[in-house]
């Protein structure tokens, strides 16, 4: 038998809503206005990614063209001092980006061993950049980029010699057109210069050696550094390494630069712009990796050499031959095949 509910019982089981007292605060989030909603979606992620890629292309090609113009056409024949300016610029801008703008968290050097490893990387980095800038005095940018595209070949060699790391036969086979294309391009280059060619090969080998040594030295979790933090430490070390060399080889270059700047104000602008763009190369490299992936950056790098070569020919009007263009195209195709072969090799290994 079920007891019938009275009016009072029913009223107690469904209590009336009581308004809040003055001591109670009801937190009701406000609905964003139309203007705020438009601001939140004003720039889409695809636009940000496209802007980062465009800035990466412009900075990479821009620093090449500015280096070539300064060293070959504007009479500033001091590649070591120019590289030192690049390093000082990277140190200053990295400090601004990390310590004040907080683009990435700041990381400390934890041990003397880690410091020595970064110092070794700085020496290799300095050698590579100096050789690259020196080669631009003697070679056109198009041929410089063709040689630079052979970086995977040197990376595979150093990985085998230093770490005894062996790639698959397919990967090594893909390196054949990389080398073959450079041989064809070198034999048909109208402005071929042996010393410039050797400097460019040294720069390419230095970049490959740095990537291998960096992966070997900074592998433990306690020693890994973000690329922006690594540049913050490497840049001043590289500048300190380059200072005695520029004073010994290039003489009183600072006084000469000051005198040239007084006589030609445009050269001061070129040096400041050149040093700034040199840092933007590293910053946009980080941004493209952040918004896309390391694989996308590698693919974009393969296309960058071809774009830089075409732009340099249009600007500097250096002569090119059909055989040279074919050699460059073969090298780029070889690099693409190498990247695909390595990707398949890693998938098979896992």
């Amino acid at each position: 038998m079920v007891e019938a509910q009275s009016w009072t019982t029913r009223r107690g089981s469904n209590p009336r809503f009581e308004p809040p007292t003055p001591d109670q605060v009801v937190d009701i989030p406000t609905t964003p206005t139309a203007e705020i909603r438009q601001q939140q979606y004003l720039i889409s992620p695809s636009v940000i990614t496209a802007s980062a890629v465009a800035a990466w292309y412009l900075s990479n090609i821009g620093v090449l063209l500015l280096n070539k113009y300064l060293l070959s056409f504007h009479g500033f024949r001091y590649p070591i001092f120019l590289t030192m300016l690049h390093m000082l610029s990277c140190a200053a801008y990295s400090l601004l980006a990390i310590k004040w703008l907080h683009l990435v968290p700041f990381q400390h050097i934890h041990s003397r061993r880690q410091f020595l490893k970064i110092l070794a990387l700085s020496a290799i980095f300095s050698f590579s950049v100096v050789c690259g800038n020196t080669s631009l005095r003697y070679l056109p940018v198009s041929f410089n980029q063709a040689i630079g595209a052979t970086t995977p070949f040197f990376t595979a060699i150093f990985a085998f010699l230093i770490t005894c790391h062996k790639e698959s036969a397919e990967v090594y086979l893909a390196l054949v057109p990389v080398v073959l294309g450079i041989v064809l391009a070198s034999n048909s280059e109208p402005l071929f210069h042996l010393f410039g060619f050797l400097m460019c090969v040294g720069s390419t080998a230095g970049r490959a050696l740095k990537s291998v040594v960096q992966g070997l030295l900074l592998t433990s979790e306690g020693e890994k550094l973000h690329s922006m933090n690594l540049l913050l430490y490497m840049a001043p070390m590289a500048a300190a390494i380059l200072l005695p060399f520029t004073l010994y080889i290039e003489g009183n270059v600072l006084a000469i630069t000051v005198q040239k700047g007084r006589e030609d104000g445009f050269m001061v602008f070129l040096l400041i712009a050149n040093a700034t763009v040199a840092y933007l190369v590293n910053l946009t490299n980080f941004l493209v990796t952040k918004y896309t992936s390391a694989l996308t950056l590698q693919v974009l790098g393969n296309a960058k050499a071809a774009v830089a070569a075409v732009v340099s020919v249009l600007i500097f009007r250096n002569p090119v031959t059909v055989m040279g263009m074919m050699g460059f195209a073969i090298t780029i195709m070889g690099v693409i095949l190498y990247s695909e072969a390595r990707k398949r090799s890693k998938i098979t290994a896992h």
Side-chain angles (χ1 to χ4, degrees):
M1 183 176 181
V2 180
E3 182 180 359
Q5 289 184 333
S6 64
W7 179 85
T8 306
T9 306
R10 291 196 303 270
R11 187 169 182 260
S13 63
N14 188 18
R16 184 166 56 99
F17 173 76
E18 297 291 339
T21 63
D23 296 334
Q24 295 175 327
V25 178
V26 180
D27 187 13
I28 302 175
T30 58
T31 303
T33 62
E35 290 81 10
I36 295 177
R37 289 196 299 270
Q38 288 177 359
Q39 290 177 1
Q40 289 176 346
Y41 299 99
L42 186 61
I43 303 177
S44 65
S46 58
V47 173
I48 295 176
T49 303
S51 300
V53 171
W56 182 80
Y57 265 101
L58 289 173
S59 59
N60 272 273
I61 297 174
V63 76
L64 280 170
L65 300 180
L66 284 172
N67 286 345
K68 179 65 178 177
Y69 183 74
L70 274 168
L71 295 168
S72 297
F73 295 93
H74 206 71
F76 190 80
R77 305 184 184 280
Y78 307 103
I80 303 177
F81 181 70
L82 183 63
T83 305
M84 192 178 74
L85 289 181
H86 288 179
M87 296 302 102
L88 292 174
S89 169
C90 287
Y93 283 120
S94 295
L95 189 64
L96 175 67
I98 296 175
K99 297 290 285 185
W100 289 322
L101 298 180
H102 305 290
L103 291 183
V104 296
F106 175 69
Q107 295 173 287
H108 292 277
I109 296 178
H110 297 292
S111 64
R112 182 172 177 268
R113 179 182 177 184
Q114 187 184 18
F115 172 83
L116 293 176
K117 290 179 178 180
I118 297 174
L119 182 62
L121 288 174
S122 301
I124 299 172
F125 183 54
S126 302
F127 170 80
S128 175
V129 178
V130 167
C131 288
N133 288 340
T134 304
S135 70
L136 288 172
R137 279 190 58 187
Y138 306 97
L139 299 178
V141 175
S142 55
F143 189 45
N144 175 281
Q145 289 299 287
I147 300 171
T150 61
T151 302
F153 171 75
F154 292 99
T155 303
I157 291 177
F158 286 127
F160 176 74
L161 294 177
I162 297 175
T163 66
C164 297
H165 175 73
K166 293 183 180 180
E167 300 283 359
S168 64
E170 183 184 8
V171 173
Y172 287 124
L173 190 63
L175 291 173
V176 174
V178 173
V179 179
L180 178 62
I182 288 302
V183 172
L184 293 175
S186 301
N187 289 333
S188 58
E189 174 57 44
L191 300 179
F192 181 85
H193 191 283
L194 180 59
F195 180 72
F197 174 78
L198 293 176
M199 286 292 100
C200 196
V201 170
S203 174
T204 306
R207 284 197 302 271
L209 179 61
K210 175 184 171 291
S211 65
V212 173
V213 173
Q214 182 174 332
L216 184 65
L217 295 183
L218 303 177
T219 52
S220 65
E221 289 298 326
E223 292 182 340
K224 281 185 178 179
L225 290 174
H226 190 279
S227 60
M228 299 288 285
N229 281 276
L230 183 60
L231 180 65
L232 174 64
Y233 292 117
M234 282 179 53
M237 292 182 188
I241 292 171
L242 293 172
L243 180 60
F245 287 97
T246 187
L247 293 176
Y248 179 75
I249 297 174
E250 297 177 339
N252 194 14
V253 63
L254 182 59
I256 296 172
T257 303
V258 172
Q259 182 181 356
K260 284 180 174 289
R262 289 174 178 173
E263 297 172 354
D264 183 7
F266 183 61
M267 195 195 72
V268 177
F269 169 77
L270 284 175
L271 289 174
I272 295 174
N274 183 264
T276 302
V277 175
Y279 171 73
L280 291 179
V281 170
N282 296 278
L283 177 62
T284 54
N285 187 83
F286 156 68
L287 292 176
V288 171
T289 306
K290 176 182 177 181
Y291 291 117
T292 58
S293 65
L295 179 61
T296 302
L297 183 68
Q298 186 178 9
V299 174
L300 293 172
N302 295 337
K304 186 262 296 181
V307 175
V310 172
V311 172
S312 69
V313 170
L314 294 176
I315 293 177
F316 298 117
R317 303 291 181 179
N318 55 283
V320 292
T321 63
V322 176
M323 188 63 69
M325 293 172 60
M326 287 180 58
F328 191 13
I330 292 173
T331 295
I332 295 297
M333 288 301 299
V335 172
I336 295 173
L337 292 174
Y338 170 82
S339 301
E340 291 297 321
R342 282 204 67 191
K343 186 165 61 176
R344 286 194 295 269
S345 179
K346 288 181 179 179
I347 294 175
T348 305
H350 290 297

